[in-house]
Amino acid sequence: MIYPITVYGDPLLRKVAAPIDNNLKDLKELIDNMFETMYHSEGVGLAAPQVGKSLRIFVVDASSAADEEEPELEGFKKAFINPEILERTGDNWVMNEGCLSLPEIREDISRPEHVKIKYLDENLQEHIEEYGGFAARVIQHEYDHLDGVLLIDYLSPLRKRILKSKLTAISKGKVNTVYRIVLPGKSKLA
């Protein structure tokens, strides 16, 4: 099932998501649907709040970004349940990021180069792993969603003012996307 994407302006995107209970029914179905939604929306990551669910889970598949510089991205497809970033290290580096919840907005965002994360996989097995480069960036971006943080929160006040009209348009559904969206505060699709 392909979920509609929750877009900027919806209060759910600003809430801290709740941990997933080990007894959550249909966890596998949720994960499968999140991957299907992410692929349909042409994303490389997707957090549960972006599909209207205030749960601490995100999925990533950055294998399409594998190249000579980052061959470790080959096959990098995972679900991160109840993740906890333990450490962010390395130099901050800037990369242009987009977000399915902020369609038609792309901004240069500075993030640490490496991340150490503890999480449960889809079989509820615990892992502690370290990632660098693009994988670390995607993980940090999706993890932010679980804490109610959006990429625009990293921008200067001036840049936010410049984007104000675009953000207002998104919140009113006046954007072009290849995926369905849910207007903020409504259950109606745009």
Side-chain angles (χ1 to χ4, degrees), residues 107-144:
E107 293 292 324
D108 290 340
I109 305 297
S110 178
R111 296 187 187 272
E113 185 177 9
H114 300 281
V115 67
K116 182 176 185 179
I117 188 168
K118 178 170 77 169
Y119 69 97
L120 301 176
D121 64 20
E122 47 197 85
N123 299 312
L124 302 178
Q125 299 301 306
E126 184 175 283
H127 300 269
I128 295 177
E129 297 171 346
E130 295 183 38
Y131 295 97
F134 188 68
R137 177 166 297 275
V138 174
I139 287 168
Q140 290 175 81
H141 177 108
E142 299 309 329
Y143 186 87
D144 277 351

PDB file of all heavy atoms in Angstrom, residues 107-144:
ATOM      1  N   GLU A 107      17.911  22.433  -0.343  1.00  0.00           N
ATOM      2  CA  GLU A 107      18.800  23.380   0.333  1.00  0.00           C
ATOM      3  C   GLU A 107      20.121  22.717   0.700  1.00  0.00           C
ATOM      4  O   GLU A 107      20.171  21.505   0.932  1.00  0.00           O
ATOM      5  CB  GLU A 107      18.134  23.930   1.608  1.00  0.00           C
ATOM      6  CG  GLU A 107      16.921  24.801   1.352  1.00  0.00           C
ATOM      7  CD  GLU A 107      17.257  26.116   0.680  1.00  0.00           C
ATOM      8  OE1 GLU A 107      18.320  26.711   0.973  1.00  0.00           O
ATOM      9  OE2 GLU A 107      16.454  26.565  -0.169  1.00  0.00           O
ATOM     10  N   ASP A 108      21.166  23.520   0.770  1.00  0.00           N
ATOM     11  CA  ASP A 108      22.465  23.038   1.230  1.00  0.00           C
ATOM     12  C   ASP A 108      22.433  22.939   2.755  1.00  0.00           C
ATOM     13  O   ASP A 108      22.182  23.930   3.442  1.00  0.00           O
ATOM     14  CB  ASP A 108      23.577  23.985   0.793  1.00  0.00           C
ATOM     15  CG  ASP A 108      23.829  23.942  -0.704  1.00  0.00           C
ATOM     16  OD1 ASP A 108      23.439  22.948  -1.350  1.00  0.00           O
ATOM     17  OD2 ASP A 108      24.418  24.903  -1.235  1.00  0.00           O
ATOM     18  N   ILE A 109      22.681  21.725   3.256  1.00  0.00           N
ATOM     19  CA  ILE A 109      22.605  21.451   4.690  1.00  0.00           C
ATOM     20  C   ILE A 109      23.947  20.886   5.157  1.00  0.00           C
ATOM     21  O   ILE A 109      24.518  20.005   4.515  1.00  0.00           O
ATOM     22  CB  ILE A 109      21.478  20.433   5.011  1.00  0.00           C
ATOM     23  CG1 ILE A 109      20.133  20.907   4.448  1.00  0.00           C
ATOM     24  CG2 ILE A 109      21.398  20.141   6.504  1.00  0.00           C
ATOM     25  CD1 ILE A 109      19.612  22.201   5.034  1.00  0.00           C
ATOM     26  N   SER A 110      24.423  21.385   6.284  1.00  0.00           N
ATOM     27  CA  SER A 110      25.683  20.927   6.864  1.00  0.00           C
ATOM     28  C   SER A 110      25.398  19.885   7.947  1.00  0.00           C
ATOM     29  O   SER A 110      24.583  20.126   8.842  1.00  0.00           O
ATOM     30  CB  SER A 110      26.427  22.128   7.468  1.00  0.00           C
ATOM     31  OG  SER A 110      27.627  21.701   8.069  1.00  0.00           O
ATOM     32  N   ARG A 111      26.055  18.742   7.833  1.00  0.00           N
ATOM     33  CA  ARG A 111      25.897  17.665   8.826  1.00  0.00           C
ATOM     34  C   ARG A 111      27.256  17.011   9.088  1.00  0.00           C
ATOM     35  O   ARG A 111      28.127  17.003   8.215  1.00  0.00           O
ATOM     36  CB  ARG A 111      24.942  16.586   8.315  1.00  0.00           C
ATOM     37  CG  ARG A 111      23.509  17.051   8.095  1.00  0.00           C
ATOM     38  CD  ARG A 111      22.615  15.862   7.765  1.00  0.00           C
ATOM     39  NE  ARG A 111      21.287  16.263   7.381  1.00  0.00           N
ATOM     40  CZ  ARG A 111      20.278  16.463   8.224  1.00  0.00           C
ATOM     41  NH1 ARG A 111      20.461  16.305   9.512  1.00  0.00           N
ATOM     42  NH2 ARG A 111      19.084  16.817   7.785  1.00  0.00           N
ATOM     43  N   PRO A 112      27.430  16.398  10.276  1.00  0.00           N
ATOM     44  CA  PRO A 112      28.660  15.655  10.553  1.00  0.00           C
ATOM     45  C   PRO A 112      28.826  14.493   9.574  1.00  0.00           C
ATOM     46  O   PRO A 112      27.847  13.911   9.114  1.00  0.00           O
ATOM     47  CB  PRO A 112      28.470  15.149  11.979  1.00  0.00           C
ATOM     48  CG  PRO A 112      27.464  16.075  12.587  1.00  0.00           C
ATOM     49  CD  PRO A 112      26.554  16.473  11.450  1.00  0.00           C
ATOM     50  N   GLU A 113      30.070  14.163   9.320  1.00  0.00           N
ATOM     51  CA  GLU A 113      30.408  13.155   8.322  1.00  0.00           C
ATOM     52  C   GLU A 113      30.090  11.718   8.756  1.00  0.00           C
ATOM     53  O   GLU A 113      29.798  10.858   7.932  1.00  0.00           O
ATOM     54  CB  GLU A 113      31.900  13.272   8.009  1.00  0.00           C
ATOM     55  CG  GLU A 113      32.395  12.391   6.911  1.00  0.00           C
ATOM     56  CD  GLU A 113      33.863  12.625   6.616  1.00  0.00           C
ATOM     57  OE1 GLU A 113      34.539  13.350   7.362  1.00  0.00           O
ATOM     58  OE2 GLU A 113      34.324  12.052   5.622  1.00  0.00           O
ATOM     59  N   HIS A 114      30.143  11.450  10.072  1.00  0.00           N
ATOM     60  CA  HIS A 114      29.954  10.084  10.560  1.00  0.00           C
ATOM     61  C   HIS A 114      28.896  10.046  11.657  1.00  0.00           C
ATOM     62  O   HIS A 114      28.715  11.009  12.402  1.00  0.00           O
ATOM     63  CB  HIS A 114      31.263   9.522  11.135  1.00  0.00           C
ATOM     64  CG  HIS A 114      32.363   9.464  10.136  1.00  0.00           C
ATOM     65  ND1 HIS A 114      32.468   8.478   9.182  1.00  0.00           N
ATOM     66  CD2 HIS A 114      33.422  10.294   9.926  1.00  0.00           C
ATOM     67  CE1 HIS A 114      33.529   8.699   8.437  1.00  0.00           C
ATOM     68  NE2 HIS A 114      34.128   9.792   8.867  1.00  0.00           N
ATOM     69  N   VAL A 115      28.242   8.885  11.750  1.00  0.00           N
ATOM     70  CA  VAL A 115      27.221   8.685  12.774  1.00  0.00           C
ATOM     71  C   VAL A 115      27.328   7.257  13.309  1.00  0.00           C
ATOM     72  O   VAL A 115      27.610   6.322  12.558  1.00  0.00           O
ATOM     73  CB  VAL A 115      25.808   8.985  12.211  1.00  0.00           C
ATOM     74  CG1 VAL A 115      25.406   7.978  11.164  1.00  0.00           C
ATOM     75  CG2 VAL A 115      24.775   9.051  13.290  1.00  0.00           C
ATOM     76  N   LYS A 116      27.133   7.134  14.614  1.00  0.00           N
ATOM     77  CA  LYS A 116      27.058   5.819  15.262  1.00  0.00           C
ATOM     78  C   LYS A 116      25.632   5.700  15.776  1.00  0.00           C
ATOM     79  O   LYS A 116      25.157   6.586  16.498  1.00  0.00           O
ATOM     80  CB  LYS A 116      28.064   5.732  16.409  1.00  0.00           C
ATOM     81  CG  LYS A 116      28.102   4.392  17.104  1.00  0.00           C
ATOM     82  CD  LYS A 116      29.207   4.415  18.167  1.00  0.00           C
ATOM     83  CE  LYS A 116      29.378   3.071  18.808  1.00  0.00           C
ATOM     84  NZ  LYS A 116      30.469   3.116  19.811  1.00  0.00           N
ATOM     85  N   ILE A 117      24.945   4.615  15.403  1.00  0.00           N
ATOM     86  CA  ILE A 117      23.524   4.485  15.715  1.00  0.00           C
ATOM     87  C   ILE A 117      23.203   3.099  16.280  1.00  0.00           C
ATOM     88  O   ILE A 117      23.770   2.098  15.845  1.00  0.00           O
ATOM     89  CB  ILE A 117      22.675   4.783  14.455  1.00  0.00           C
ATOM     90  CG1 ILE A 117      21.188   4.853  14.783  1.00  0.00           C
ATOM     91  CG2 ILE A 117      22.965   3.792  13.350  1.00  0.00           C
ATOM     92  CD1 ILE A 117      20.336   5.421  13.659  1.00  0.00           C
ATOM     93  N   LYS A 118      22.311   3.104  17.260  1.00  0.00           N
ATOM     94  CA  LYS A 118      21.782   1.857  17.821  1.00  0.00           C
ATOM     95  C   LYS A 118      20.335   1.763  17.362  1.00  0.00           C
ATOM     96  O   LYS A 118      19.594   2.750  17.413  1.00  0.00           O
ATOM     97  CB  LYS A 118      21.858   1.893  19.350  1.00  0.00           C
ATOM     98  CG  LYS A 118      21.291   0.646  20.007  1.00  0.00           C
ATOM     99  CD  LYS A 118      21.603   0.585  21.498  1.00  0.00           C
ATOM    100  CE  LYS A 118      20.702   1.497  22.272  1.00  0.00           C
ATOM    101  NZ  LYS A 118      20.788   1.286  23.741  1.00  0.00           N
ATOM    102  N   TYR A 119      19.920   0.590  16.909  1.00  0.00           N
ATOM    103  CA  TYR A 119      18.555   0.424  16.422  1.00  0.00           C
ATOM    104  C   TYR A 119      18.167  -1.047  16.422  1.00  0.00           C
ATOM    105  O   TYR A 119      19.018  -1.928  16.577  1.00  0.00           O
ATOM    106  CB  TYR A 119      18.417   0.997  15.002  1.00  0.00           C
ATOM    107  CG  TYR A 119      19.158   0.203  13.948  1.00  0.00           C
ATOM    108  CD1 TYR A 119      18.502  -0.742  13.167  1.00  0.00           C
ATOM    109  CD2 TYR A 119      20.522   0.384  13.737  1.00  0.00           C
ATOM    110  CE1 TYR A 119      19.181  -1.495  12.210  1.00  0.00           C
ATOM    111  CE2 TYR A 119      21.208  -0.350  12.783  1.00  0.00           C
ATOM    112  CZ  TYR A 119      20.539  -1.289  12.029  1.00  0.00           C
ATOM    113  OH  TYR A 119      21.205  -2.033  11.089  1.00  0.00           O
ATOM    114  N   LEU A 120      16.884  -1.282  16.242  1.00  0.00           N
ATOM    115  CA  LEU A 120      16.375  -2.630  16.037  1.00  0.00           C
ATOM    116  C   LEU A 120      16.076  -2.799  14.551  1.00  0.00           C
ATOM    117  O   LEU A 120      15.558  -1.875  13.916  1.00  0.00           O
ATOM    118  CB  LEU A 120      15.076  -2.851  16.831  1.00  0.00           C
ATOM    119  CG  LEU A 120      15.155  -2.670  18.336  1.00  0.00           C
ATOM    120  CD1 LEU A 120      13.766  -2.816  18.964  1.00  0.00           C
ATOM    121  CD2 LEU A 120      16.132  -3.646  18.970  1.00  0.00           C
ATOM    122  N   ASP A 121      16.383  -3.972  14.014  1.00  0.00           N
ATOM    123  CA  ASP A 121      16.040  -4.234  12.617  1.00  0.00           C
ATOM    124  C   ASP A 121      14.603  -4.763  12.545  1.00  0.00           C
ATOM    125  O   ASP A 121      13.897  -4.826  13.564  1.00  0.00           O
ATOM    126  CB  ASP A 121      17.046  -5.191  11.960  1.00  0.00           C
ATOM    127  CG  ASP A 121      17.056  -6.590  12.573  1.00  0.00           C
ATOM    128  OD1 ASP A 121      16.074  -6.988  13.248  1.00  0.00           O
ATOM    129  OD2 ASP A 121      18.062  -7.300  12.363  1.00  0.00           O
ATOM    130  N   GLU A 122      14.161  -5.151  11.372  1.00  0.00           N
ATOM    131  CA  GLU A 122      12.763  -5.584  11.225  1.00  0.00           C
ATOM    132  C   GLU A 122      12.452  -6.890  11.948  1.00  0.00           C
ATOM    133  O   GLU A 122      11.295  -7.225  12.155  1.00  0.00           O
ATOM    134  CB  GLU A 122      12.341  -5.637   9.760  1.00  0.00           C
ATOM    135  CG  GLU A 122      13.282  -6.319   8.817  1.00  0.00           C
ATOM    136  CD  GLU A 122      12.969  -5.939   7.383  1.00  0.00           C
ATOM    137  OE1 GLU A 122      13.462  -4.903   6.929  1.00  0.00           O
ATOM    138  OE2 GLU A 122      12.232  -6.702   6.740  1.00  0.00           O
ATOM    139  N   ASN A 123      13.485  -7.611  12.378  1.00  0.00           N
ATOM    140  CA  ASN A 123      13.298  -8.822  13.184  1.00  0.00           C
ATOM    141  C   ASN A 123      13.472  -8.525  14.674  1.00  0.00           C
ATOM    142  O   ASN A 123      13.588  -9.444  15.482  1.00  0.00           O
ATOM    143  CB  ASN A 123      14.277  -9.916  12.747  1.00  0.00           C
ATOM    144  CG  ASN A 123      14.062 -10.301  11.300  1.00  0.00           C
ATOM    145  OD1 ASN A 123      12.932 -10.539  10.887  1.00  0.00           O
ATOM    146  ND2 ASN A 123      15.135 -10.340  10.525  1.00  0.00           N
ATOM    147  N   LEU A 124      13.541  -7.225  15.007  1.00  0.00           N
ATOM    148  CA  LEU A 124      13.699  -6.726  16.369  1.00  0.00           C
ATOM    149  C   LEU A 124      15.020  -7.150  17.009  1.00  0.00           C
ATOM    150  O   LEU A 124      15.126  -7.286  18.225  1.00  0.00           O
ATOM    151  CB  LEU A 124      12.505  -7.119  17.240  1.00  0.00           C
ATOM    152  CG  LEU A 124      11.151  -6.616  16.727  1.00  0.00           C
ATOM    153  CD1 LEU A 124      10.018  -7.089  17.631  1.00  0.00           C
ATOM    154  CD2 LEU A 124      11.146  -5.096  16.616  1.00  0.00           C
ATOM    155  N   GLN A 125      16.035  -7.338  16.153  1.00  0.00           N
ATOM    156  CA  GLN A 125      17.391  -7.619  16.628  1.00  0.00           C
ATOM    157  C   GLN A 125      18.133  -6.297  16.760  1.00  0.00           C
ATOM    158  O   GLN A 125      18.088  -5.454  15.854  1.00  0.00           O
ATOM    159  CB  GLN A 125      18.134  -8.536  15.647  1.00  0.00           C
ATOM    160  CG  GLN A 125      17.481  -9.888  15.461  1.00  0.00           C
ATOM    161  CD  GLN A 125      17.356 -10.663  16.746  1.00  0.00           C
ATOM    162  OE1 GLN A 125      18.340 -10.866  17.459  1.00  0.00           O
ATOM    163  NE2 GLN A 125      16.143 -11.095  17.061  1.00  0.00           N
ATOM    164  N   GLU A 126      18.839  -6.126  17.879  1.00  0.00           N
ATOM    165  CA  GLU A 126      19.544  -4.861  18.120  1.00  0.00           C
ATOM    166  C   GLU A 126      20.885  -4.823  17.388  1.00  0.00           C
ATOM    167  O   GLU A 126      21.583  -5.836  17.319  1.00  0.00           O
ATOM    168  CB  GLU A 126      19.777  -4.663  19.620  1.00  0.00           C
ATOM    169  CG  GLU A 126      20.407  -3.318  19.941  1.00  0.00           C
ATOM    170  CD  GLU A 126      20.528  -3.070  21.433  1.00  0.00           C
ATOM    171  OE1 GLU A 126      19.509  -2.743  22.064  1.00  0.00           O
ATOM    172  OE2 GLU A 126      21.652  -3.223  21.946  1.00  0.00           O
ATOM    173  N   HIS A 127      21.203  -3.648  16.868  1.00  0.00           N
ATOM    174  CA  HIS A 127      22.484  -3.419  16.187  1.00  0.00           C
ATOM    175  C   HIS A 127      23.059  -2.099  16.663  1.00  0.00           C
ATOM    176  O   HIS A 127      22.310  -1.160  16.948  1.00  0.00           O
ATOM    177  CB  HIS A 127      22.282  -3.317  14.666  1.00  0.00           C
ATOM    178  CG  HIS A 127      21.700  -4.536  14.046  1.00  0.00           C
ATOM    179  ND1 HIS A 127      22.451  -5.563  13.554  1.00  0.00           N
ATOM    180  CD2 HIS A 127      20.401  -4.896  13.838  1.00  0.00           C
ATOM    181  CE1 HIS A 127      21.668  -6.506  13.061  1.00  0.00           C
ATOM    182  NE2 HIS A 127      20.409  -6.111  13.226  1.00  0.00           N
ATOM    183  N   ILE A 128      24.378  -2.027  16.689  1.00  0.00           N
ATOM    184  CA  ILE A 128      25.081  -0.755  16.867  1.00  0.00           C
ATOM    185  C   ILE A 128      26.048  -0.695  15.695  1.00  0.00           C
ATOM    186  O   ILE A 128      26.910  -1.572  15.544  1.00  0.00           O
ATOM    187  CB  ILE A 128      25.833  -0.670  18.208  1.00  0.00           C
ATOM    188  CG1 ILE A 128      24.832  -0.701  19.366  1.00  0.00           C
ATOM    189  CG2 ILE A 128      26.682   0.597  18.249  1.00  0.00           C
ATOM    190  CD1 ILE A 128      25.462  -0.696  20.747  1.00  0.00           C
ATOM    191  N   GLU A 129      25.861   0.323  14.839  1.00  0.00           N
ATOM    192  CA  GLU A 129      26.656   0.410  13.613  1.00  0.00           C
ATOM    193  C   GLU A 129      27.125   1.836  13.395  1.00  0.00           C
ATOM    194  O   GLU A 129      26.516   2.786  13.897  1.00  0.00           O
ATOM    195  CB  GLU A 129      25.824  -0.064  12.416  1.00  0.00           C
ATOM    196  CG  GLU A 129      25.412  -1.520  12.526  1.00  0.00           C
ATOM    197  CD  GLU A 129      24.419  -1.977  11.471  1.00  0.00           C
ATOM    198  OE1 GLU A 129      23.812  -1.132  10.784  1.00  0.00           O
ATOM    199  OE2 GLU A 129      24.248  -3.192  11.346  1.00  0.00           O
ATOM    200  N   GLU A 130      28.188   1.964  12.620  1.00  0.00           N
ATOM    201  CA  GLU A 130      28.708   3.275  12.261  1.00  0.00           C
ATOM    202  C   GLU A 130      28.622   3.451  10.751  1.00  0.00           C
ATOM    203  O   GLU A 130      28.873   2.507   9.998  1.00  0.00           O
ATOM    204  CB  GLU A 130      30.158   3.409  12.736  1.00  0.00           C
ATOM    205  CG  GLU A 130      30.284   3.376  14.245  1.00  0.00           C
ATOM    206  CD  GLU A 130      31.695   3.576  14.738  1.00  0.00           C
ATOM    207  OE1 GLU A 130      32.427   4.393  14.137  1.00  0.00           O
ATOM    208  OE2 GLU A 130      32.064   2.916  15.727  1.00  0.00           O
ATOM    209  N   TYR A 131      28.256   4.654  10.353  1.00  0.00           N
ATOM    210  CA  TYR A 131      28.131   4.980   8.931  1.00  0.00           C
ATOM    211  C   TYR A 131      28.806   6.298   8.655  1.00  0.00           C
ATOM    212  O   TYR A 131      28.893   7.167   9.526  1.00  0.00           O
ATOM    213  CB  TYR A 131      26.652   5.080   8.531  1.00  0.00           C
ATOM    214  CG  TYR A 131      25.918   3.771   8.651  1.00  0.00           C
ATOM    215  CD1 TYR A 131      25.174   3.479   9.785  1.00  0.00           C
ATOM    216  CD2 TYR A 131      25.988   2.826   7.638  1.00  0.00           C
ATOM    217  CE1 TYR A 131      24.505   2.278   9.911  1.00  0.00           C
ATOM    218  CE2 TYR A 131      25.320   1.615   7.758  1.00  0.00           C
ATOM    219  CZ  TYR A 131      24.591   1.343   8.899  1.00  0.00           C
ATOM    220  OH  TYR A 131      23.940   0.145   9.018  1.00  0.00           O
ATOM    221  N   GLY A 132      29.265   6.455   7.421  1.00  0.00           N
ATOM    222  CA  GLY A 132      29.864   7.704   6.994  1.00  0.00           C
ATOM    223  C   GLY A 132      29.294   8.132   5.663  1.00  0.00           C
ATOM    224  O   GLY A 132      28.522   7.404   5.026  1.00  0.00           O
ATOM    225  N   GLY A 133      29.665   9.340   5.246  1.00  0.00           N
ATOM    226  CA  GLY A 133      29.280   9.839   3.932  1.00  0.00           C
ATOM    227  C   GLY A 133      27.783   9.957   3.739  1.00  0.00           C
ATOM    228  O   GLY A 133      27.046  10.390   4.620  1.00  0.00           O
ATOM    229  N   PHE A 134      27.328   9.544   2.543  1.00  0.00           N
ATOM    230  CA  PHE A 134      25.929   9.702   2.172  1.00  0.00           C
ATOM    231  C   PHE A 134      25.003   8.893   3.090  1.00  0.00           C
ATOM    232  O   PHE A 134      23.920   9.352   3.461  1.00  0.00           O
ATOM    233  CB  PHE A 134      25.725   9.288   0.707  1.00  0.00           C
ATOM    234  CG  PHE A 134      24.353   9.584   0.182  1.00  0.00           C
ATOM    235  CD1 PHE A 134      23.930  10.888  -0.006  1.00  0.00           C
ATOM    236  CD2 PHE A 134      23.475   8.549  -0.116  1.00  0.00           C
ATOM    237  CE1 PHE A 134      22.653  11.166  -0.487  1.00  0.00           C
ATOM    238  CE2 PHE A 134      22.198   8.816  -0.601  1.00  0.00           C
ATOM    239  CZ  PHE A 134      21.786  10.126  -0.782  1.00  0.00           C
ATOM    240  N   ALA A 135      25.429   7.688   3.491  1.00  0.00           N
ATOM    241  CA  ALA A 135      24.607   6.865   4.390  1.00  0.00           C
ATOM    242  C   ALA A 135      24.372   7.605   5.708  1.00  0.00           C
ATOM    243  O   ALA A 135      23.245   7.641   6.213  1.00  0.00           O
ATOM    244  CB  ALA A 135      25.275   5.512   4.642  1.00  0.00           C
ATOM    245  N   ALA A 136      25.417   8.208   6.260  1.00  0.00           N
ATOM    246  CA  ALA A 136      25.281   8.961   7.514  1.00  0.00           C
ATOM    247  C   ALA A 136      24.339  10.147   7.335  1.00  0.00           C
ATOM    248  O   ALA A 136      23.547  10.469   8.213  1.00  0.00           O
ATOM    249  CB  ALA A 136      26.650   9.438   7.992  1.00  0.00           C
ATOM    250  N   ARG A 137      24.415  10.794   6.192  1.00  0.00           N
ATOM    251  CA  ARG A 137      23.541  11.944   5.911  1.00  0.00           C
ATOM    252  C   ARG A 137      22.079  11.518   5.857  1.00  0.00           C
ATOM    253  O   ARG A 137      21.225  12.144   6.470  1.00  0.00           O
ATOM    254  CB  ARG A 137      23.930  12.595   4.578  1.00  0.00           C
ATOM    255  CG  ARG A 137      23.006  13.749   4.199  1.00  0.00           C
ATOM    256  CD  ARG A 137      23.583  14.576   3.097  1.00  0.00           C
ATOM    257  NE  ARG A 137      24.813  15.213   3.489  1.00  0.00           N
ATOM    258  CZ  ARG A 137      24.882  16.381   4.146  1.00  0.00           C
ATOM    259  NH1 ARG A 137      23.801  17.023   4.471  1.00  0.00           N
ATOM    260  NH2 ARG A 137      26.047  16.896   4.472  1.00  0.00           N
ATOM    261  N   VAL A 138      21.774  10.453   5.136  1.00  0.00           N
ATOM    262  CA  VAL A 138      20.386   9.986   5.024  1.00  0.00           C
ATOM    263  C   VAL A 138      19.864   9.578   6.406  1.00  0.00           C
ATOM    264  O   VAL A 138      18.740   9.921   6.777  1.00  0.00           O
ATOM    265  CB  VAL A 138      20.265   8.814   4.015  1.00  0.00           C
ATOM    266  CG1 VAL A 138      18.861   8.232   4.018  1.00  0.00           C
ATOM    267  CG2 VAL A 138      20.647   9.284   2.616  1.00  0.00           C
ATOM    268  N   ILE A 139      20.672   8.865   7.165  1.00  0.00           N
ATOM    269  CA  ILE A 139      20.262   8.441   8.507  1.00  0.00           C
ATOM    270  C   ILE A 139      19.959   9.657   9.376  1.00  0.00           C
ATOM    271  O   ILE A 139      18.920   9.704  10.051  1.00  0.00           O
ATOM    272  CB  ILE A 139      21.348   7.546   9.143  1.00  0.00           C
ATOM    273  CG1 ILE A 139      21.345   6.169   8.464  1.00  0.00           C
ATOM    274  CG2 ILE A 139      21.157   7.433  10.654  1.00  0.00           C
ATOM    275  CD1 ILE A 139      22.534   5.295   8.801  1.00  0.00           C
ATOM    276  N   GLN A 140      20.828  10.662   9.359  1.00  0.00           N
ATOM    277  CA  GLN A 140      20.601  11.853  10.185  1.00  0.00           C
ATOM    278  C   GLN A 140      19.345  12.605   9.745  1.00  0.00           C
ATOM    279  O   GLN A 140      18.582  13.103  10.578  1.00  0.00           O
ATOM    280  CB  GLN A 140      21.820  12.772  10.145  1.00  0.00           C
ATOM    281  CG  GLN A 140      23.019  12.185  10.869  1.00  0.00           C
ATOM    282  CD  GLN A 140      24.242  13.054  10.727  1.00  0.00           C
ATOM    283  OE1 GLN A 140      24.389  14.033  11.445  1.00  0.00           O
ATOM    284  NE2 GLN A 140      25.120  12.704   9.789  1.00  0.00           N
ATOM    285  N   HIS A 141      19.132  12.696   8.447  1.00  0.00           N
ATOM    286  CA  HIS A 141      17.952  13.390   7.921  1.00  0.00           C
ATOM    287  C   HIS A 141      16.674  12.687   8.394  1.00  0.00           C
ATOM    288  O   HIS A 141      15.752  13.334   8.903  1.00  0.00           O
ATOM    289  CB  HIS A 141      18.014  13.426   6.392  1.00  0.00           C
ATOM    290  CG  HIS A 141      16.818  14.051   5.748  1.00  0.00           C
ATOM    291  ND1 HIS A 141      16.865  15.279   5.145  1.00  0.00           N
ATOM    292  CD2 HIS A 141      15.532  13.625   5.614  1.00  0.00           C
ATOM    293  CE1 HIS A 141      15.661  15.582   4.669  1.00  0.00           C
ATOM    294  NE2 HIS A 141      14.834  14.587   4.943  1.00  0.00           N
ATOM    295  N   GLU A 142      16.616  11.367   8.241  1.00  0.00           N
ATOM    296  CA  GLU A 142      15.417  10.618   8.629  1.00  0.00           C
ATOM    297  C   GLU A 142      15.246  10.600  10.147  1.00  0.00           C
ATOM    298  O   GLU A 142      14.128  10.709  10.655  1.00  0.00           O
ATOM    299  CB  GLU A 142      15.441   9.201   8.058  1.00  0.00           C
ATOM    300  CG  GLU A 142      15.481   9.135   6.545  1.00  0.00           C
ATOM    301  CD  GLU A 142      14.416   9.967   5.843  1.00  0.00           C
ATOM    302  OE1 GLU A 142      13.309  10.144   6.401  1.00  0.00           O
ATOM    303  OE2 GLU A 142      14.688  10.454   4.734  1.00  0.00           O
ATOM    304  N   TYR A 143      16.338  10.497  10.865  1.00  0.00           N
ATOM    305  CA  TYR A 143      16.286  10.514  12.337  1.00  0.00           C
ATOM    306  C   TYR A 143      15.705  11.846  12.826  1.00  0.00           C
ATOM    307  O   TYR A 143      14.923  11.872  13.774  1.00  0.00           O
ATOM    308  CB  TYR A 143      17.693  10.296  12.892  1.00  0.00           C
ATOM    309  CG  TYR A 143      17.755  10.159  14.384  1.00  0.00           C
ATOM    310  CD1 TYR A 143      17.586   8.920  14.994  1.00  0.00           C
ATOM    311  CD2 TYR A 143      18.005  11.261  15.201  1.00  0.00           C
ATOM    312  CE1 TYR A 143      17.651   8.776  16.372  1.00  0.00           C
ATOM    313  CE2 TYR A 143      18.068  11.128  16.577  1.00  0.00           C
ATOM    314  CZ  TYR A 143      17.896   9.887  17.148  1.00  0.00           C
ATOM    315  OH  TYR A 143      17.951   9.750  18.516  1.00  0.00           O
ATOM    316  N   ASP A 144      16.077  12.932  12.173  1.00  0.00           N
ATOM    317  CA  ASP A 144      15.530  14.248  12.537  1.00  0.00           C
ATOM    318  C   ASP A 144      14.004  14.228  12.521  1.00  0.00           C
ATOM    319  O   ASP A 144      13.357  14.811  13.391  1.00  0.00           O
ATOM    320  CB  ASP A 144      16.021  15.334  11.572  1.00  0.00           C
ATOM    321  CG  ASP A 144      17.404  15.866  11.916  1.00  0.00           C
ATOM    322  OD1 ASP A 144      17.943  15.533  12.992  1.00  0.00           O
ATOM    323  OD2 ASP A 144      17.947  16.635  11.093  1.00  0.00           O
TER     324      ASP A 144
END
